[in-house]
Amino acid sequence: MDWTLEVIVLPVADIERSIAFYRDQLGFVLDHDTTTEQMHIVQLTPPGSGCSIVLGMSEMSPGSMKGLQLVVSDAAAAREQLLARGVEVSELKIFDAERDGGTFFFFDDPDTNSWAVQQMKVRADKPLIPLDAR
């Protein structure tokens, strides 16, 4: 039996501001935006990911999620893409230059939920979700 992680609830103070950040600046796909009398729930998915984030419906404090991690095949290119979209990101940090997976950069969302971006060059040739399955 597979147990897949497919949704992470992300605590934010302002859903509309967070939609603008995650969709427009990070490039996440807006899967759905549902508003009822009781709630406002938004789901967004990073391109190529099998796991989405959900904004809204959380008892956690905005900004309390720390250490969420995205993986890209080229950290320098991903970093430049986010900088061009107005995201404040750290410099590249190389923790292990000899093995794939040792290069990172970091950023926070508008609520200070923190993210790491890890470079795994192998993802260029072997994405977790094959292109023909998306």
Side-chain angles (χ1 to χ4, degrees):
M1 175 182 312
D2 289 343
W3 292 40
T4 60
L5 179 63
E6 297 191 17
V7 175
I8 295 172
V9 177
L10 196 62
V12 299
D14 182 329
I15 290 179
E16 295 303 324
R17 177 182 70 182
S18 295
I19 291 170
F21 179 76
Y22 284 99
R23 181 191 59 204
D24 303 337
Q25 290 186 271
L26 295 187
F28 287 21
V29 176
L30 179 63
D31 301 318
H32 64 81
D33 184 344
T34 304
T35 303
T36 69
E37 290 181 21
Q38 297 82 20
M39 65 181 179
H40 184 188
I41 301 291
V42 175
Q43 181 173 323
L44 300 108
T45 304
S49 180
C51 187
S52 301
I53 61 170
V54 168
L55 309 174
M57 197 177 75
S58 175
E59 294 184 15
M60 295 179 285
S61 298
S64 62
M65 290 293 284
K66 305 296 180 192
L68 295 164
Q69 188 164 313
L70 297 165
V71 176
V72 297
S73 60
D74 183 337
R79 182 180 177 276
E80 289 302 317
Q81 185 179 71
L82 295 187
L83 282 170
R85 293 178 177 170
V87 178
E88 291 184 31
V89 298
S90 74
E91 295 295 325
L92 288 177
K93 299 195 188 295
I94 300 172
F95 298 106
D96 185 345
E98 296 190 22
R99 288 183 280 197
D100 196 17
T103 301
F104 290 80
F105 69 91
F106 306 90
F107 67 90
D108 289 345
D109 75 5
D111 288 292
T112 71
N113 292 300
S114 66
W115 291 83
V117 180
Q118 178 184 29
Q119 175 177 286
M120 296 285 295
K121 291 179 183 179
V122 69
R123 293 290 187 261
D125 297 322
K126 295 181 181 179
L128 287 181
I129 300 175
L131 296 176
D132 62 348
R134 297 182 193 179

